[in-house]
Amino acid sequence: MKLGIFSDVHGNLDALEAALAFFDDQHVTEYLCLGDIVGYGAEPEECVRLLRALRCTMVAGNHDYGVGGKTPVNSFNADAREALLWTQRHMTLVIRDFLGALELVEVVPAHSFRLVHGSPSAPRCWDYVLDWSDVEYEFNFFSDRVCLIGHSHVPFAARHEPASSRPHRIEGPEFELLTNGTKYLINVGSVGQPRDGDPRACVTIFDPHGQHFSFHRVEYDIASAQRKIVNAGLPEFLATRLARGR
Ligand code: ZN
């Protein structure tokens, strides 16, 4: 029973459908989403409905709470704010309420996974875990084996072995999760708006058989997602950046 783990779909249905087709190919049967299902992209409602139909476990991102009325709209930058107000206008109340009711943290006890959008130290503050000093700091704020995050749209994996005084970066797209008390902090990147220079959708898969964790990039129809953003009257920058992955 493999788990498909991903984040920051941001209303990009083209990217989400490609990611889910890839998960299907890989025999994924369980889904974990780390928030920001909406905001920026032109098909937010469709993305939420698709993930609900899959019984995906989700936590709230800042955009989800923005649309759901829980995070003030004026805390977002200009493009994000415009997209957020557009998203609110193009979404049914039932889905907006659903987003506003998402939890900030979820735990998957079967694998000792903690799910949070921004940072385990302050899930409500939407801090970015970007620098290595941030990574080291955040390890102090969870006791689960793995903390999975999103928010920065830049994937990384780090591990902290019990005998070691500090965490280490994990290089390469796949690794095995140790069961000797080692803890992991993993940013799963972004499906709908990658910002690490690779415009393909970023997803991860955990296979409990062998404790295998892997990062993958999935091609999708970027031009289609861009067209929808422009035709919707959303800021054009949100379309152009998809091709650059920045
Ligand atoms: Zn995001």
Side-chain angles (χ1 to χ4, degrees), residues 6 27 29 34 36 42 49 51 83 99 108-109 113 117 134 145 148 157 159 171-173 178 181 185 193 204 235:
F6 57 96
H27 310 293
T29 55
L34 299 161
D36 276 3
R49 287 188 180 277
L51 293 181
L99 292 173
V108 184
F113 285 0
H117 183 65
D134 301 333
R145 181 167 64 134
L148 297 154
R159 68 162 186 270
E171 306 291 347
L178 303 172
L185 180 62
Q193 197 194 83
T204 68

Side-chain angles (χ1 to χ4, degrees), residues 5-10 32-36 116-117 148-157 186-196 198 200-204 213-217:
I5 310 164
F6 57 96
S7 190
D8 294 272
V9 171
H10 280 295
L32 309 179
C33 175
L34 299 161
D36 276 3
V116 55
H117 183 65
L148 297 154
I149 62 173
H151 195 37
S152 72
H153 301 205
V154 177
F156 75 78
I186 302 172
N187 189 315
V188 300
S190 168
V191 167
Q193 197 194 83
R195 291 178 194 161
D196 62 343
D198 185 338
R200 297 174 296 174
C202 187
V203 298
T204 68
F213 196 99
S214 52
F215 287 87
H216 306 267
R217 301 311 281 250

Side-chain angles (χ1 to χ4, degrees), residues 12 21 43 83 106 115 173 198 228:
N12 186 339
E43 292 173 291
E106 293 278 359
L115 280 52
D198 185 338
K228 290 171 188 169

Side-chain angles (χ1 to χ4, degrees), residues 70-117:
K70 275 216 178 151
T71 293
V73 171
N74 58 17
S75 67
F76 291 82
N77 70 42
D79 281 329
R81 191 164 56 237
E82 192 176 336
L84 211 140
L85 294 170
W86 181 95
T87 302
Q88 283 185 331
R89 287 198 303 275
H90 291 81
M91 193 164 247
T92 57
L93 201 55
V94 60
I95 295 295
R96 283 169 60 178
D97 286 348
F98 170 80
L99 292 173
L102 286 171
E103 299 288 343
L104 287 165
V105 178
E106 293 278 359
V107 172
V108 184
H111 308 297
S112 191
F113 285 0
R114 172 167 291 256
L115 280 52
V116 55
H117 183 65

Side-chain angles (χ1 to χ4, degrees), residues 121-143:
S121 65
R124 194 176 298 278
C125 297
W126 316 117
D127 294 329
Y128 290 94
V129 181
L130 289 172
D131 301 330
W132 190 248
S133 57
D134 301 333
V135 174
E136 291 197 356
Y137 176 76
E138 294 298 335
F139 266 100
N140 298 309
F141 294 91
F142 62 97
S143 52

Side-chain angles (χ1 to χ4, degrees), residues 14 31 35 58 123 154 210 222 238:
D14 294 283
Y31 306 87
M58 305 175 232
V154 177
I222 293 174
L238 299 176

